[in-house]
Amino acid sequence: MKDLNIGILQLPVSRDKGENLRRAVCAVREAAHAGAALCVLPEMWSCPYDTALFRAYAEPEDGPLLDAMRDAAVREGVYLIAGSVPELDGDRVYNTAFVFAPDGRRIARHRKAHLFDVDVPGGVRFRESETLTAGDAATVFDTPWGKMGLCICFDLRFPELSRTMALSGAQVIFAPAAFNMTTGPAHWELTLRARALDNQVFTVGAAPARDEAASYVSYAHSLVCDPWGRVLCDLGEGAAVRVVTLELSRVGEVRRALPLLAARRTALYRMD
């Protein structure tokens, strides 16, 4: 099993879409030159995380923003998980992550399936459903390193979705995400480690850099966890580009040593 070098791009986000795009393109180049074969951008890296702005910033799949991401993948010769962006499809807006291959093909699209509608007393209140439409699929895609899973932020909290991806063959689950200053300190690392441990896969959470002046403050701390549930990398609070090597043979090693998936008794888990 070949190792995979991934580039995690923890970027600041401004109100200037053009500036955000230029920053993303430069970060992809930096990661590729440092040896990354696959790069991942954060959730909503092209616009502020604000339901009132999603529609204004949204573009269709063939819009200039995603064309530029496709071009970056080709130019740098990498697989690119283009974080997530507000996608316009007819009258609907989705929170969508696209994946491009080095030859420019779009090989995956994940529309956030679980919308972030929460009201935590004394903490955060946010309702994505005010603007966004939910996706309706689990997403797994093929690469030269095997199958990869893809979800977005709040999706990661639902163990069934990650289990579905793992049972479909995913060895790595990527999650562009923007946990906030209420949920991040409490649950970000815990959730990524739990999904890695439960499914014996690598998990990669890519978050925007923290901006204390933003209306929605990202917790940041992009993370990589291994199939044993250990944190391999934490990018901290600020802007950062980091290349991390995933030893994919660890997936099989951990599953042989602790055969959780093989030991499942699915008949016990049905709810009639």
Side-chain angles (χ1 to χ4, degrees):
M1 184 68 64
K2 295 184 291 184
D3 292 348
L4 170 60
N5 291 334
I6 62 167
I8 308 167
L9 316 181
Q10 182 167 286
L11 305 180
V13 180
S14 74
R15 285 181 170 264
D16 185 332
K17 186 194 290 189
E19 178 185 358
N20 295 332
L21 176 57
R22 287 189 293 274
R23 190 181 288 121
V25 169
C26 288
V28 173
R29 181 184 307 122
E30 180 181 344
H33 289 185
L38 184 153
C39 297
V40 55
L41 283 158
E43 181 181 26
M44 289 294 181
W45 59 268
S46 66
C47 72
Y49 198 82
D50 186 331
T51 57
L53 297 176
F54 290 159
R55 183 171 292 275
Y57 280 74
E59 293 184 12
E61 181 178 349
D62 59 357
L65 187 79
L66 289 165
D67 280 349
M69 289 293 94
R70 181 182 290 106
D71 291 346
V74 172
R75 186 168 53 251
E76 305 303 336
V78 296
Y79 285 80
L80 177 58
I81 300 173
S84 83
V85 297
E87 177 207 2
L88 186 64
D89 186 357
D91 291 332
R92 295 181 174 181
V93 179
Y94 296 90
N95 184 345
T96 307
F98 292 88
V99 185
F100 299 105
D103 61 6
R105 289 177 299 123
R106 190 263 274 171
I107 58 173
R109 178 185 68 187
H110 179 74
R111 288 170 166 170
K112 190 174 188 177
H114 302 89
L115 298 184
F116 186 55
D117 286 2
V118 301
D119 189 355
V120 180
V124 64
R125 183 187 184 281
F126 205 87
R127 294 192 64 81
E128 283 189 324
S129 63
E130 291 173 347
T131 305
L132 299 176
T133 299
D136 59 4
T139 302
V140 173
F141 59 96
D142 290 308
T143 74
W145 303 272
K147 293 183 182 294
M148 307 291 162
L150 179 60
C151 64
I152 299 173
C153 200
F154 202 48
D155 286 338
L156 197 62
R157 288 186 177 271
F158 298 86
E160 299 90 342
L161 186 66
S162 292
R163 177 55 54 86
T164 297
M165 290 186 278
L167 292 178
S168 297
Q171 300 177 81
V172 186
I173 294 176
F174 291 93
F179 276 41
N180 55 68
M181 295 304 295
T182 299
T183 60
H187 300 149
W188 174 239
E189 180 180 321
L190 176 64
T191 304
L192 282 159
R193 292 181 69 188
R195 297 295 85 80
L197 180 62
D198 288 348
N199 298 292
Q200 300 176 309
V201 297
F202 289 90
T203 55
V204 179
R210 189 178 304 176
D211 177 2
E212 299 285 357
S215 59
Y216 180 99
V217 181
S218 168
Y219 177 60
H221 287 281
S222 298
L223 288 180
V224 180
C225 301
D226 77 359
W228 195 253
R230 294 177 294 199
V231 174
L232 300 181
C233 175
D234 181 337
L235 268 62
E237 300 174 7
V241 174
R242 187 79 56 84
V243 177
V244 180
T245 299
L246 305 186
E247 298 179 9
L248 296 178
S249 60
R250 285 289 293 155
V251 174
E253 290 171 2
V254 169
R255 289 179 178 179
R256 286 189 293 272
L258 192 66
L260 299 182
L261 297 181
R264 290 179 310 123
R265 299 180 62 191
T266 54
L268 299 180
Y269 314 146
R270 298 194 185 103
M271 296 182 66
D272 297 324

